[in-house]
């Protein structure tokens, strides 16, 4: 542990205890970040009967969009000696325009349809059939000063489904 007596005896307790002059490495950094995000979800539910089956149909769509913009400027400054009365006036570089950039975007769409229908006269047997389709597209771009920028783009789509069966034995048990 750091605060054991052995370690405390060798740790400097003030500036006078330093073996050699030491300097702080300073860096000026300025950043700007802008995140924008929007989400939309809409569901429609239909209750009705077709023949002897009672249906509860759910249909919906989800939309998601995210854009991120990040800018950074960094510059190492002259080292400052560690002294009892340090100079706390650190000069701001004259040319401090952003030199690094990272932009990303994500678009995602999901659509779904679900039908739960009841069978038998008392509606004790229920079946569920559902499907969903998702699509996303993502892009990223990074640049650092005068170096060539790098970018990536990815997209994918996937359908998913669900089936279920439920029998209500009584109000307490539904396997």
């Amino acid at each position: 542990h750091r605060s054991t007596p052995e370690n405390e005896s060798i740790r400097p307790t003030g500036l006078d205890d330093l073996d050699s002059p030491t300097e702080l490495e300073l860096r000026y950094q300025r950043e700007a970040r802008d995140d924008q995000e929007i989400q939309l979800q809409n569901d429609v539910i239909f209750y009705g009967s077709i023949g002897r089956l009672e249906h509860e149909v759910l249909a919906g769509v989800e939309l998601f969009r995210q854009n991120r913009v990040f800018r950074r400027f960094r510059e190492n400054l002259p080292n400052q000696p560690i002294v009892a009365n340090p100079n706390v006036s650190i000069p701001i570089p004259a040319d401090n325009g952003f030199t690094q950039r990272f932009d990303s975007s994500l678009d995602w769409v999901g659509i779904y349809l679900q039908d739960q229908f009841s069978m038998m006269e008392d509606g004790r047997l229920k079946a569920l059939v559902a499907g969903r389709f998702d699509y996303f597209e993502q892009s990223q771009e990074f640049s650092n000063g005068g170096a060539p920028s790098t970018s990536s783009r990815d997209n994918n789509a996937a359908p998913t489904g669900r089936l279920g069966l439920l029998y209500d034995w009584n109000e307490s048990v539904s396997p």
Side-chain angles (χ1 to χ4, degrees):
H1 190 268
R2 297 176 116 177
S3 64
T4 61
E6 300 83 35
N7 288 342
E8 289 297 316
S9 66
I10 60 172
R11 187 175 72 141
T13 57
L15 294 175
D16 297 334
D17 296 332
L18 293 176
D19 292 334
S20 62
T22 305
E23 295 181 330
L24 288 176
E25 294 179 4
L26 299 180
R27 172 183 286 168
Y28 176 80
Q29 182 167 311
R30 183 169 71 96
E31 297 179 348
R33 181 179 184 147
D34 182 23
D35 292 341
Q36 297 177 356
E37 187 173 294
I38 185 167
Q39 290 180 305
L40 172 69
Q41 180 176 355
N42 194 18
D43 294 331
V44 175
I45 301 176
F46 164 76
Y47 299 97
S49 297
I50 299 176
R52 295 178 56 188
L53 298 178
E54 294 180 26
H55 292 268
E56 181 179 326
V57 179
L58 169 72
V61 63
E62 292 180 89
L63 303 171
F64 178 79
R65 171 169 268 185
Q66 180 183 65
N67 290 313
R68 290 185 165 176
V69 176
F70 180 76
R71 306 284 188 262
R72 174 184 290 154
F73 170 81
R74 284 183 174 171
E75 183 177 304
N76 292 331
L77 300 175
N79 292 350
Q80 294 289 321
I82 296 177
V83 294
N85 296 312
N87 176 9
V88 293
S89 175
I90 298 172
I92 296 175
D95 180 20
N96 62 14
F98 295 119
T99 56
Q100 291 179 324
R101 186 183 93 231
F102 180 75
D103 297 340
S104 66
S105 67
L106 172 66
D107 291 314
W108 169 58
V109 176
I111 56 173
Y112 48 92
L113 181 65
Q114 173 178 300
D115 186 7
Q116 178 176 303
F117 49 96
S118 301
M119 299 173 276
M120 303 176 74
E121 290 203 19
D122 56 1
R124 287 187 171 208
L125 181 61
K126 298 182 188 325
L128 178 91
V129 178
R132 181 181 176 102
F133 180 78
D134 287 291
Y135 173 81
F136 83 91
E137 184 172 300
Q138 181 177 13
S139 65
Q140 298 178 341
E141 185 174 351
F142 176 75
S143 68
N144 188 9
S149 64
T150 60
S151 62
S152 66
R153 184 174 213 98
D154 189 21
N155 60 27
N156 205 344
T160 55
R162 188 169 85 171
L163 296 173
L165 194 60
L166 174 76
Y167 184 78
D168 287 334
W169 289 104
N170 59 37
E171 290 185 21
S172 302
V173 179
S174 296

